[in-house]
Amino acid sequence: MTRKKMLFPFLLLISILMTACSASSSGVEGPEFDKAQTEFIQELSVENIFSSLSELTKNPRVAGTSSEMQAAAFLTAQLKSEGYEVEVQPFDFERYVIPESHGLVVEDFPGPLSPAPFQYSVDGNVDGQLIDAGYGLKKDYKKIDVKGKIALVAVDKTAFYELVLFASEAGAKAILLYFPDELEIDNWTLGREHFKDFIPALALTYDEGTKLVEFLKNGTPVSAAVKIKGARIDKAASQNLIATKHPTSETDDDIILIGAHYDSVDKAPGASDNASGTAVVLELARMFKTIPTNKEIRFLFFGAEEEGLHGSEKYVSTLTKDEIKRSAAMFNLDMVGSADAGDLAIQTIDGSDNVVTKVASKANEALNGDPIETDFGDRSDHTPFHNAGIDAALFIYDPVEEWYHTPEDTIEKLSKARLVNVAKIVGTSIFELTFSGTTKE
Ligand code: BES
Ligand code: ZN
């Protein structure tokens, strides 16, 4: 008999014994909180969370603006009033400034044209002959001369940025990309990686594009003018905030990290994304200030997440090798209060379990009766921590609400029960870790 086969009945016996021993008085199996954790849960204040939320959501908190700074000042003041010293970690980041105006004129073309710029469209004010360049692939430019001209290209399967680069390499001065039928032309991005090599690019609808193609078939050369004004990449300043709770008894030198980004996108009060995570981390900082712990806990508030995880990248880049080694767990809270989102999810960069997911899943089981399965997800500040080798996970209600990143992301759309649920799960998990001696290998 193989070892595996013998193991199964043994495990069955153990699990029957464990079930018999661990069943609570209510007859429900599974992990339970101890007295201290139960008291912790009772003392969490949803009123505190909500009052922080109403302060934070007064204005959008766009990275690099004075309103992001005001949010940082509010958080700093709150943390100081709880007795924390607050480290302000300033940093610069590069951001794309959208054009203040854009336009397209095609000589003698009957009918209106309403082009849209892309995120990362470059500035330009160019005139030239408009040329139908087919699908705008390299092979097309072997037959069609676009040098010094404006290329009209049908979008098919090739990435937008590649079409822009192909036209640029072929010598075009600007490019008009017309989209497949039914595809909206607003809010697309070319990505920033090749920004320096782009030529001015505008998007047109299928209807506009095909009408222009017909118009060009006339045979007579058609001149056009493309104008994009005010688009650029410039430097902006943001800041992270760090409040550290030192261990009360120095039984090990692990560090537990918990963070949230406090910036928002433009025009959005960013209640769910991410005043929610910010307010919960603030409340947990208040709670843990007076609780004895055997590990250091760092409460982190990241700036400029929405522009590309700049705050968390900066913070991780300043950690020493020793600090990284000592960092046992990183909890990232982003979008933790929406009443319109799905269930609570725990996401990691590789989709697999780690210290954070295991302890939090157990906490959820004790609190709500079920463990939480770990999902894949890389769209927030846990990413740089994972990349540095730290066990990190994102807490998020998923699938996310449809109105995220819009002016509709307001405090009225949040659920107190959902916010406090995350505060309980993450709080009791940190509680568990700070006394469990989970020293990193
Ligand atoms: N809170 C979102 C993360 C998010 C949004 C996760 C929707 C899952 C679904 C975050 O603030 C965000 O918008 N992140 C950016 C990526 C980042 C690298 C700029 C995103 O997902 O577009
Ligand atoms: Zn977010």
Side-chain angles (χ1 to χ4, degrees), residues 261 273 305-309 334-335 379 396 400 404-405:
H261 76 86
D273 188 8
E305 186 267 0
E306 299 286 5
E307 306 278 332
L309 312 183
D334 194 355
M335 306 173 95
R379 295 174 63 175
I396 185 167
V400 300
Y404 89 98
H405 286 187

Side-chain angles (χ1 to χ4, degrees), residues 23 27 53 82 84 94 105 114 134 182 187 200 204 217 237 240 246 253 258 303 305 321 328 371 380 400 403:
L53 271 165
E82 298 302 336
Y84 283 100
E94 288 188 340
V105 178
S114 313
E182 309 297 329
N187 294 326
L204 293 172
K217 277 186 184 153
N240 295 325
H246 298 286
D253 62 2
I258 165 169
E305 186 267 0
K321 271 191 186 155
S380 187
V400 300
W403 37 260

Side-chain angles (χ1 to χ4, degrees), residues 12 36 38 45 56 87 111-112 137-138 163 174 185 205 214 230 252 275 292 299 349 429 439 441:
L12 190 66
T38 309
S45 161
L56 287 164
E87 185 196 337
L137 304 177
K138 282 191 173 178
L163 296 173
I185 60 169
T205 63
E214 277 308 306
D252 69 55
F299 300 92
I349 306 305
S429 297
T439 308
E441 299 296 301

Side-chain angles (χ1 to χ4, degrees), residues 75-76 78-80 82-88 240-246 256-258 281-282 285-286 289 296-301 315:
L75 294 168
T76 305
Q78 293 295 304
L79 290 161
K80 283 191 173 165
E82 298 302 336
Y84 283 100
E85 271 176 33
V86 181
E87 185 196 337
V88 180
N240 295 325
L241 308 173
I242 304 143
T244 301
K245 154 96 172 56
H246 298 286
I256 309 293
L257 305 150
I258 165 169
V281 175
L282 193 60
R286 181 189 73 82
K289 187 73 184 78
E296 181 173 319
I297 309 174
R298 293 188 189 174
F299 300 92
L300 311 170
F301 300 86
Y315 178 74

Side-chain angles (χ1 to χ4, degrees), residues 130-148:
L130 185 63
I131 293 285
D132 177 4
Y135 289 112
L137 304 177
K138 282 191 173 178
K139 63 172 189 236
D140 295 310
Y141 294 117
K142 285 188 182 140
K143 290 175 267 163
I144 308 162
D145 178 19
V146 292
K147 203 165 256 158

Side-chain angles (χ1 to χ4, degrees), residues 92-155:
D92 286 339
F93 66 97
E94 288 188 340
R95 68 170 168 194
Y96 175 72
V97 181
I98 59 166
E100 66 208 34
S101 64
H102 65 274
L104 166 68
V105 178
V106 177
E107 207 174 29
D108 295 332
F109 179 71
L113 293 167
S114 313
F118 293 86
Q119 180 89 351
Y120 297 111
S121 277
V122 294
D123 251 24
N125 188 359
V126 300
D127 296 302
Q129 191 187 338
L130 185 63
I131 293 285
D132 177 4
Y135 289 112
L137 304 177
K138 282 191 173 178
K139 63 172 189 236
D140 295 310
Y141 294 117
K142 285 188 182 140
K143 290 175 267 163
I144 308 162
D145 178 19
V146 292
K147 203 165 256 158
K149 300 174 184 168
I150 297 171
L152 176 64
V153 165
V155 171

